[in-house]
Amino acid sequence: MSGRRVLTLVAPISGIVVPLDQVPDPVFAQRLAGDGVSIDPLSDQVVAPCDAEVRQVHRAGHAVTLDALGLEIVIHVGLDTVQLKGEGFQPLAKAGDRVRAGDPLLRFDADVVARRARSLLTEVVITNMDRVAALRPRSGTVVAGRDVLLEIELAAPAGAPEARSGEAVTTPPIVVASRTGLHARPAAMLAATARRFSSDLRLVKDGREANARSVVSIMALEVGGGDTVTVVARGADAAAAAAAVTETLATDLDATPADGADSAAATRPAAASSAGPAAAHRGAPAAAGVLRGVAASPGVAVGRVFHVRHDDAVVEERGADPEQEQRALDAAIAAAHLQLEALQQRLAVEADADRAAIFGAHQELLEDPEVLERAAAHVRSGASAAHAWRQAYTSQAERLQGLDNALLRGRATDLRDIGRRVMHLLVGGDAPLEVPPESIVVAEDLTPSDTASLDRTRVRGLCTTMGSATSHVAILARGLGIPAVAGVDPRVLDIAPGTRVILDGDRGTLDPSPSAADEARVAERQGADERRQRGELAVAMEPATTRDGHRVEVVANIGAVKEAERVPAVGGEGVGLLRTEFLFMDRRTAPDEDEQTRSYEAIARALGPDRILVIRTLDVGGDKPIPYLSLAAEANPFLGERGVRLTLARPELFRAQVRAILRASAAGKVAMMFPMIATLAEWRAARELVERERLALGVPPIPVGIMVETAAAALIADRFAREADFFSIGTNDLTQYTLAMDRTNPRLAPQVDALHPAVLRLIERTVAGARAHKRWVGVCGALAGDPQAVPVLLGLGVGELSTDIPLVPAVKARVRSLSLAECQATAREALDAGDGAEVRAIVARRHG
Ligand code: PEP
Ligand code: MG
């Protein structure tokens, strides 16, 4: 034979070819299932890519395995589609069928699947890559049954005997090569190997057996390094499966290049803080040094570390409807996957391979069929999603905990950790937190209700490894006047509880081992801050008028009734932004029209008849977990269905809120605005709904405006100004969209500066558009509370600054120190600057 044999696969579905490593699922991206390509589909029928025999049609109808020339080809439609349990899929072939290239294999309802699954990306992978010498994928757009997708150069036959279909294969005894036995990482790798095959695979040790696809089951078998096991495989690809698992078992799975001698230590879970202070942690560099994050709420604090985790939440035992509960659980698990993915990516960039591997192992646990099936069984028997999940993961964790092997017992911590992550996503912090006095609260993330339920008198500071200066925990911390650091180095999770630390919310740092001199300096700074704040508060009731007589409204951002009560006391002239999403978070169902009406009325009354209350309609989206809204996980949540896009797509939810706002408008000086407006069509659809409901209720009109958070809205502000009553500029979002920098990404946080001249030019443009139609413009993003930004915003013509409650007196004081004419000159210079740092230098030079 002159050359190797080549098998050509045509596209099984029409669409755009996507490299496998761009698939947002580690099983495919890391080629755990095999190698191949993915297609972003433009059709809804899967056809055979070559002449083949159908080996298996997955029970859930979403995947087909073919055999062609001894190659096993899996076509997998969508991500997480197994969870649809067949809904939306129609198999058109069955196991044993012989098909020709182009013959139909399955059809799916793209609408149903797209709505319910994470993605429609369809993978075509070769699972037995040992039979492949080279893969040559095509790129671009392909048409099903016509265009070549992959050329596969076959390797010389392995010569191993192939099992007949359905035959059971039992291997000879295999000595486990991994020195530390089958703990989490080796177990995860073994399960990944097993899952490449359709056969049922069991590991047998001393008469006990484990499902080789299940990480937990493998770990529960307590296989130590050097132990002997056998593999029993049953099914169509039994021989190949047994061979692959044997090979994996015979490989030292601990021997990754990153490992030192102590590979067991390398797999310690990130959150196992009982391990001791950071200094003792894996010899990590700079463990004794200052940990860096992002300044999220101003102030400095000394206190003792208190870790917040979510295993004790009080949850309802019984669920509403099993289907709904399962959907909520699936959504929480999908969201946990995304979080872990993000963490891994970040740690990979930080070259922390060990910790990235731990989160990889967590993802495997999240897919563990035994845990998932147990939870699903509880849900089917009527349990709530949270209760079912907790039962499933704690019982499995207890099983591991009861084992003799200390290393395996440690894996129970991994399972609890991932279990808590999902619990957190399901119920948030429903349980009140018992925080000891003088605490610096440390967590991966905190829900709004965690933050709200904290006893302010005991909490000195907040520190999270997720989030950024404009994430919701930062917003809440500023509202409460608690110093906070977000996006901090995850090693903070390893600091022993009770350790005395300094948290610096101005610099965005946490010092895990401060000296007495450091603490004395903090005390001095706190004293100076307090004296300044007392001075500002003493004159907070005075208006904010510049030295040359220009009056600026200074109002507050709030998220709850309790906060509204604090606004008048700090001199707040109203509320420029009520973030209504906080009323919807951390609960099991949406507040209905009556409940919302009561909340909005209470807020309006707390402000009194003369203070404005601008109520923003619901601003949630793919990035904020509200399980009962069953938000589909999106690859780019900030560019997805969020804000007004979401409420327009859920008219009943939107209608109830709009009616509640209109009904409450009699209780005060109420205005309404919509978040995330990008098009006139969105604005008009929302505005029309308001008008319809207003006429139905028979209430007088109220001002209705938009948030300017997209470049689109800013650039055609003059067009919006013909119809909208006012603009409120959301600089947090406007900045992230203008700079194309995710506002929640701690690595980008230092560069996401809203004083970037590009953002300032959009603000200038917004003001010009508004002026042409005599509309007012406010700023309600975090920029409004930034002392360096105040002169620039005034100079650009912004008339209202809406900021966090504790900052109101300081912003008023800043306004009084300025002259409008000077601010206008500052703004002109700032618009011409090259970046945010240059703008800050200009302000520092001109205004101190
Ligand atoms: C903003 O984007 O600036 C804003 C105020 O809205 P949020 O921070 O709630 O997204
Ligand atoms: Mg916003």
Short mmCIF file of all heavy atoms in Angstrom, two decimals, residues 650-696:
data_model
loop_
_atom_site.label_atom_id
_atom_site.label_comp_id
_atom_site.label_asym_id
_atom_site.label_seq_id
_atom_site.Cartn_x
_atom_site.Cartn_y
_atom_site.Cartn_z
N ARG A 650 -40.54 38.67 28.74
CA ARG A 650 -41.42 38.07 29.76
C ARG A 650 -42.50 39.09 30.12
O ARG A 650 -42.46 39.70 31.20
CB ARG A 650 -40.63 37.74 31.02
CG ARG A 650 -39.33 37.03 30.75
CD ARG A 650 -39.40 35.60 31.15
NE ARG A 650 -38.14 34.96 30.82
CZ ARG A 650 -37.54 34.06 31.60
NH1 ARG A 650 -38.07 33.72 32.72
NH2 ARG A 650 -36.42 33.50 31.21
N PRO A 651 -43.46 39.29 29.21
CA PRO A 651 -44.41 40.39 29.38
C PRO A 651 -45.19 40.33 30.71
O PRO A 651 -45.49 41.38 31.28
CB PRO A 651 -45.36 40.24 28.20
CG PRO A 651 -44.80 39.20 27.31
CD PRO A 651 -43.67 38.52 27.99
N GLU A 652 -45.45 39.13 31.21
CA GLU A 652 -46.24 39.06 32.45
C GLU A 652 -45.46 39.62 33.63
O GLU A 652 -45.99 40.34 34.48
CB GLU A 652 -46.67 37.61 32.74
CG GLU A 652 -47.84 37.17 31.87
CD GLU A 652 -48.94 38.24 31.78
OE1 GLU A 652 -49.46 38.64 32.84
OE2 GLU A 652 -49.24 38.70 30.67
N LEU A 653 -44.17 39.27 33.65
CA LEU A 653 -43.29 39.77 34.71
C LEU A 653 -43.19 41.30 34.63
O LEU A 653 -43.29 42.03 35.62
CB LEU A 653 -41.91 39.14 34.48
CG LEU A 653 -40.82 39.34 35.50
CD1 LEU A 653 -41.11 38.48 36.72
CD2 LEU A 653 -39.46 38.90 34.91
N PHE A 654 -43.00 41.78 33.41
CA PHE A 654 -42.82 43.21 33.16
C PHE A 654 -44.10 43.97 33.51
O PHE A 654 -44.07 45.00 34.19
CB PHE A 654 -42.48 43.40 31.67
CG PHE A 654 -41.82 44.72 31.34
CD1 PHE A 654 -41.24 45.50 32.32
CD2 PHE A 654 -41.76 45.16 30.02
CE1 PHE A 654 -40.62 46.71 32.01
CE2 PHE A 654 -41.15 46.37 29.70
CZ PHE A 654 -40.59 47.14 30.70
N ARG A 655 -45.21 43.42 33.06
CA ARG A 655 -46.50 44.08 33.27
C ARG A 655 -46.77 44.26 34.77
O ARG A 655 -47.16 45.33 35.23
CB ARG A 655 -47.60 43.21 32.66
CG ARG A 655 -48.60 43.96 31.86
CD ARG A 655 -49.63 43.05 31.24
NE ARG A 655 -50.93 43.36 31.79
CZ ARG A 655 -51.63 42.56 32.57
NH1 ARG A 655 -51.20 41.38 32.89
NH2 ARG A 655 -52.81 42.96 33.01
N ALA A 656 -46.52 43.19 35.54
CA ALA A 656 -46.79 43.25 36.99
C ALA A 656 -45.94 44.34 37.62
O ALA A 656 -46.41 45.11 38.46
CB ALA A 656 -46.49 41.90 37.63
N GLN A 657 -44.68 44.46 37.18
CA GLN A 657 -43.81 45.46 37.79
C GLN A 657 -44.24 46.88 37.38
O GLN A 657 -44.32 47.78 38.22
CB GLN A 657 -42.35 45.23 37.40
CG GLN A 657 -41.45 46.25 38.09
CD GLN A 657 -39.98 45.99 37.92
OE1 GLN A 657 -39.54 45.60 36.85
NE2 GLN A 657 -39.21 46.21 38.98
N VAL A 658 -44.52 47.05 36.12
CA VAL A 658 -44.93 48.38 35.64
C VAL A 658 -46.21 48.82 36.35
O VAL A 658 -46.32 49.97 36.80
CB VAL A 658 -45.12 48.33 34.10
CG1 VAL A 658 -45.92 49.51 33.61
CG2 VAL A 658 -43.75 48.27 33.41
N ARG A 659 -47.15 47.91 36.48
CA ARG A 659 -48.41 48.26 37.17
C ARG A 659 -48.12 48.63 38.62
O ARG A 659 -48.70 49.57 39.16
CB ARG A 659 -49.40 47.08 37.10
CG ARG A 659 -50.00 46.89 35.71
CD ARG A 659 -50.86 45.64 35.67
NE ARG A 659 -52.01 45.72 36.57
CZ ARG A 659 -53.17 46.28 36.24
NH1 ARG A 659 -53.33 46.80 35.04
NH2 ARG A 659 -54.17 46.34 37.11
N ALA A 660 -47.23 47.88 39.27
CA ALA A 660 -46.93 48.17 40.67
C ALA A 660 -46.30 49.55 40.80
O ALA A 660 -46.64 50.32 41.71
CB ALA A 660 -45.97 47.11 41.22
N ILE A 661 -45.40 49.90 39.89
CA ILE A 661 -44.76 51.23 39.94
C ILE A 661 -45.82 52.32 39.75
O ILE A 661 -45.86 53.32 40.47
CB ILE A 661 -43.63 51.35 38.89
CG1 ILE A 661 -42.52 50.34 39.20
CG2 ILE A 661 -43.08 52.76 38.82
CD1 ILE A 661 -41.46 50.18 38.10
N LEU A 662 -46.68 52.10 38.75
CA LEU A 662 -47.72 53.11 38.48
C LEU A 662 -48.67 53.25 39.68
O LEU A 662 -49.04 54.36 40.06
CB LEU A 662 -48.50 52.72 37.22
CG LEU A 662 -47.73 52.84 35.90
CD1 LEU A 662 -48.46 52.12 34.77
CD2 LEU A 662 -47.50 54.31 35.54
N ARG A 663 -49.03 52.12 40.26
CA ARG A 663 -49.94 52.18 41.42
C ARG A 663 -49.29 52.91 42.58
O ARG A 663 -49.93 53.64 43.33
CB ARG A 663 -50.36 50.77 41.83
CG ARG A 663 -51.46 50.19 40.94
CD ARG A 663 -51.66 48.72 41.20
NE ARG A 663 -52.07 48.42 42.57
CZ ARG A 663 -52.12 47.19 43.09
NH1 ARG A 663 -51.79 46.15 42.34
NH2 ARG A 663 -52.52 47.01 44.33
N ALA A 664 -47.96 52.68 42.76
CA ALA A 664 -47.26 53.31 43.88
C ALA A 664 -46.97 54.79 43.64
O ALA A 664 -46.58 55.50 44.55
CB ALA A 664 -45.95 52.57 44.15
N SER A 665 -47.17 55.24 42.40
CA SER A 665 -46.75 56.61 42.07
C SER A 665 -47.54 57.66 42.84
O SER A 665 -47.04 58.78 43.04
CB SER A 665 -46.83 56.87 40.55
OG SER A 665 -48.17 56.77 40.12
N ALA A 666 -48.72 57.31 43.31
CA ALA A 666 -49.51 58.27 44.10
C ALA A 666 -48.85 58.55 45.44
O ALA A 666 -49.12 59.56 46.08
CB ALA A 666 -50.92 57.72 44.31
N ALA A 667 -47.96 57.64 45.89
CA ALA A 667 -47.37 57.78 47.23
C ALA A 667 -46.18 58.73 47.26
O ALA A 667 -45.62 58.99 48.33
CB ALA A 667 -46.95 56.41 47.76
N GLY A 668 -45.74 59.24 46.11
CA GLY A 668 -44.57 60.13 46.13
C GLY A 668 -44.30 60.72 44.77
O GLY A 668 -45.19 60.78 43.91
N LYS A 669 -43.03 61.14 44.60
CA LYS A 669 -42.64 61.77 43.34
C LYS A 669 -41.90 60.72 42.50
O LYS A 669 -40.68 60.67 42.47
CB LYS A 669 -41.71 62.93 43.69
CG LYS A 669 -41.55 63.98 42.65
CD LYS A 669 -40.81 65.16 43.31
CE LYS A 669 -40.12 66.03 42.29
NZ LYS A 669 -39.23 67.00 42.93
N VAL A 670 -42.68 59.84 41.87
CA VAL A 670 -42.10 58.64 41.26
C VAL A 670 -41.84 58.82 39.77
O VAL A 670 -42.64 59.41 39.04
CB VAL A 670 -43.06 57.43 41.49
CG1 VAL A 670 -42.58 56.19 40.73
CG2 VAL A 670 -43.17 57.12 42.98
N ALA A 671 -40.68 58.32 39.31
CA ALA A 671 -40.37 58.24 37.88
C ALA A 671 -39.94 56.80 37.61
O ALA A 671 -39.61 56.06 38.54
CB ALA A 671 -39.25 59.20 37.52
N MET A 672 -39.97 56.43 36.32
CA MET A 672 -39.61 55.05 35.98
C MET A 672 -38.57 55.08 34.86
O MET A 672 -38.62 55.94 33.99
CB MET A 672 -40.89 54.35 35.49
CG MET A 672 -40.66 52.92 35.09
SD MET A 672 -42.11 52.03 34.40
CE MET A 672 -43.55 52.79 35.00
N MET A 673 -37.63 54.14 34.90
CA MET A 673 -36.69 54.06 33.77
C MET A 673 -36.35 52.60 33.45
O MET A 673 -36.51 51.72 34.29
CB MET A 673 -35.43 54.86 34.04
CG MET A 673 -34.56 54.35 35.15
SD MET A 673 -33.12 55.44 35.31
CE MET A 673 -32.30 54.72 36.72
N PHE A 674 -35.89 52.41 32.21
CA PHE A 674 -35.59 51.06 31.74
C PHE A 674 -34.07 50.89 31.59
O PHE A 674 -33.39 51.76 31.04
CB PHE A 674 -36.24 50.80 30.37
CG PHE A 674 -37.69 51.17 30.31
CD1 PHE A 674 -38.16 52.13 29.41
CD2 PHE A 674 -38.60 50.58 31.17
CE1 PHE A 674 -39.50 52.49 29.36
CE2 PHE A 674 -39.94 50.92 31.14
CZ PHE A 674 -40.39 51.88 30.23
N PRO A 675 -33.56 49.72 32.03
CA PRO A 675 -32.12 49.47 31.90
C PRO A 675 -31.74 48.87 30.57
O PRO A 675 -32.55 48.21 29.92
CB PRO A 675 -31.87 48.44 33.01
CG PRO A 675 -33.16 47.68 33.12
CD PRO A 675 -34.26 48.63 32.73
N MET A 676 -30.51 49.10 30.14
CA MET A 676 -29.89 48.40 29.01
C MET A 676 -30.55 48.69 27.66
O MET A 676 -30.56 47.86 26.76
CB MET A 676 -29.93 46.88 29.22
CG MET A 676 -29.01 46.38 30.26
SD MET A 676 -27.30 46.77 29.88
CE MET A 676 -27.14 45.98 28.31
N ILE A 677 -31.10 49.90 27.51
CA ILE A 677 -31.73 50.24 26.23
C ILE A 677 -30.65 50.41 25.16
O ILE A 677 -29.66 51.10 25.37
CB ILE A 677 -32.54 51.55 26.38
CG1 ILE A 677 -33.77 51.34 27.28
CG2 ILE A 677 -32.92 52.11 25.01
CD1 ILE A 677 -34.95 50.66 26.64
N ALA A 678 -30.88 49.75 24.01
CA ALA A 678 -29.94 49.91 22.89
C ALA A 678 -30.64 50.39 21.63
O ALA A 678 -30.02 50.99 20.76
CB ALA A 678 -29.22 48.59 22.61
N THR A 679 -31.94 50.13 21.53
CA THR A 679 -32.63 50.50 20.29
C THR A 679 -33.91 51.28 20.60
O THR A 679 -34.52 51.11 21.66
CB THR A 679 -33.04 49.24 19.48
OG1 THR A 679 -34.05 48.54 20.21
CG2 THR A 679 -31.86 48.33 19.21
N LEU A 680 -34.30 52.08 19.62
CA LEU A 680 -35.57 52.82 19.77
C LEU A 680 -36.74 51.86 19.89
O LEU A 680 -37.71 52.11 20.60
CB LEU A 680 -35.77 53.74 18.56
CG LEU A 680 -34.99 55.06 18.61
CD1 LEU A 680 -34.96 55.70 17.23
CD2 LEU A 680 -35.58 56.03 19.63
N ALA A 681 -36.62 50.71 19.20
CA ALA A 681 -37.72 49.74 19.23
C ALA A 681 -37.94 49.21 20.65
O ALA A 681 -39.08 49.08 21.10
CB ALA A 681 -37.43 48.59 18.28
N GLU A 682 -36.82 48.95 21.38
CA GLU A 682 -36.95 48.47 22.76
C GLU A 682 -37.64 49.54 23.61
O GLU A 682 -38.56 49.26 24.39
CB GLU A 682 -35.57 48.20 23.38
CG GLU A 682 -34.88 46.96 22.87
CD GLU A 682 -33.40 46.94 23.23
OE1 GLU A 682 -32.85 47.98 23.68
OE2 GLU A 682 -32.78 45.89 23.02
N TRP A 683 -37.14 50.77 23.46
CA TRP A 683 -37.72 51.87 24.23
C TRP A 683 -39.22 52.00 23.95
O TRP A 683 -40.03 52.11 24.85
CB TRP A 683 -36.96 53.17 23.92
CG TRP A 683 -37.80 54.40 24.03
CD1 TRP A 683 -38.30 55.15 23.01
CD2 TRP A 683 -38.26 55.03 25.24
NE1 TRP A 683 -39.04 56.19 23.49
CE2 TRP A 683 -39.04 56.15 24.86
CE3 TRP A 683 -38.11 54.74 26.60
CZ2 TRP A 683 -39.66 56.97 25.80
CZ3 TRP A 683 -38.71 55.56 27.53
CH2 TRP A 683 -39.47 56.67 27.13
N ARG A 684 -39.56 51.97 22.67
CA ARG A 684 -40.97 52.20 22.31
C ARG A 684 -41.85 51.06 22.82
O ARG A 684 -42.96 51.29 23.31
CB ARG A 684 -41.12 52.35 20.80
CG ARG A 684 -40.62 53.72 20.35
CD ARG A 684 -40.64 53.89 18.86
NE ARG A 684 -40.02 55.16 18.51
CZ ARG A 684 -39.45 55.42 17.35
NH1 ARG A 684 -39.42 54.49 16.40
NH2 ARG A 684 -38.91 56.59 17.12
N ALA A 685 -41.35 49.83 22.72
CA ALA A 685 -42.16 48.69 23.19
C ALA A 685 -42.39 48.82 24.70
O ALA A 685 -43.51 48.61 25.19
CB ALA A 685 -41.45 47.38 22.88
N ALA A 686 -41.34 49.19 25.43
CA ALA A 686 -41.48 49.33 26.88
C ALA A 686 -42.40 50.50 27.22
O ALA A 686 -43.29 50.42 28.08
CB ALA A 686 -40.11 49.52 27.52
N ARG A 687 -42.18 51.61 26.51
CA ARG A 687 -42.98 52.82 26.77
C ARG A 687 -44.46 52.55 26.49
O ARG A 687 -45.34 52.99 27.23
CB ARG A 687 -42.46 53.94 25.84
CG ARG A 687 -43.15 55.26 25.98
CD ARG A 687 -42.66 55.96 27.24
NE ARG A 687 -43.41 57.16 27.54
CZ ARG A 687 -44.52 57.17 28.29
NH1 ARG A 687 -45.00 56.05 28.79
NH2 ARG A 687 -45.12 58.31 28.56
N GLU A 688 -44.74 51.83 25.40
CA GLU A 688 -46.13 51.53 25.06
C GLU A 688 -46.80 50.67 26.12
O GLU A 688 -47.95 50.88 26.47
CB GLU A 688 -46.21 50.81 23.70
CG GLU A 688 -46.30 51.80 22.55
CD GLU A 688 -45.88 51.19 21.22
OE1 GLU A 688 -46.03 49.96 21.05
OE2 GLU A 688 -45.37 51.96 20.37
N LEU A 689 -46.03 49.70 26.63
CA LEU A 689 -46.60 48.85 27.68
C LEU A 689 -46.96 49.70 28.91
O LEU A 689 -48.02 49.54 29.50
CB LEU A 689 -45.59 47.77 28.05
CG LEU A 689 -46.08 46.73 29.04
CD1 LEU A 689 -45.67 45.33 28.59
CD2 LEU A 689 -45.53 46.96 30.45
N VAL A 690 -46.09 50.65 29.25
CA VAL A 690 -46.36 51.53 30.39
C VAL A 690 -47.65 52.32 30.13
O VAL A 690 -48.53 52.42 30.99
CB VAL A 690 -45.19 52.50 30.63
CG1 VAL A 690 -45.54 53.54 31.68
CG2 VAL A 690 -43.94 51.73 31.05
N GLU A 691 -47.76 52.87 28.92
CA GLU A 691 -48.91 53.71 28.62
C GLU A 691 -50.21 52.91 28.66
O GLU A 691 -51.23 53.36 29.19
CB GLU A 691 -48.70 54.38 27.25
CG GLU A 691 -49.63 55.54 26.94
CD GLU A 691 -49.71 56.61 28.03
OE1 GLU A 691 -48.84 56.68 28.91
OE2 GLU A 691 -50.72 57.38 28.02
N ARG A 692 -50.16 51.70 28.12
CA ARG A 692 -51.34 50.82 28.14
C ARG A 692 -51.79 50.56 29.57
O ARG A 692 -52.95 50.69 29.91
CB ARG A 692 -50.99 49.48 27.48
CG ARG A 692 -51.68 49.25 26.17
CD ARG A 692 -51.62 47.84 25.65
NE ARG A 692 -50.52 46.99 26.06
CZ ARG A 692 -49.35 46.91 25.42
NH1 ARG A 692 -49.12 47.65 24.35
NH2 ARG A 692 -48.40 46.11 25.84
N GLU A 693 -50.83 50.22 30.41
CA GLU A 693 -51.18 49.88 31.80
C GLU A 693 -51.63 51.13 32.56
O GLU A 693 -52.50 51.06 33.41
CB GLU A 693 -50.00 49.22 32.51
CG GLU A 693 -49.60 47.87 31.93
CD GLU A 693 -50.77 46.89 31.79
OE1 GLU A 693 -51.65 46.87 32.67
OE2 GLU A 693 -50.80 46.16 30.78
N ARG A 694 -51.04 52.25 32.23
CA ARG A 694 -51.43 53.50 32.91
C ARG A 694 -52.89 53.82 32.60
O ARG A 694 -53.66 54.16 33.50
CB ARG A 694 -50.53 54.65 32.45
CG ARG A 694 -50.75 55.94 33.21
CD ARG A 694 -49.96 57.07 32.63
NE ARG A 694 -50.48 57.58 31.39
CZ ARG A 694 -51.56 58.37 31.28
NH1 ARG A 694 -52.22 58.74 32.36
NH2 ARG A 694 -51.97 58.80 30.09
N LEU A 695 -53.25 53.67 31.31
CA LEU A 695 -54.64 53.96 30.93
C LEU A 695 -55.58 52.97 31.60
O LEU A 695 -56.65 53.32 32.08
CB LEU A 695 -54.79 53.93 29.41
CG LEU A 695 -54.04 55.06 28.68
CD1 LEU A 695 -54.09 54.87 27.17
CD2 LEU A 695 -54.61 56.43 29.07
N ALA A 696 -55.14 51.70 31.66
CA ALA A 696 -56.00 50.68 32.28
C ALA A 696 -56.21 50.98 33.76
O ALA A 696 -57.30 50.78 34.30
CB ALA A 696 -55.38 49.30 32.10
#
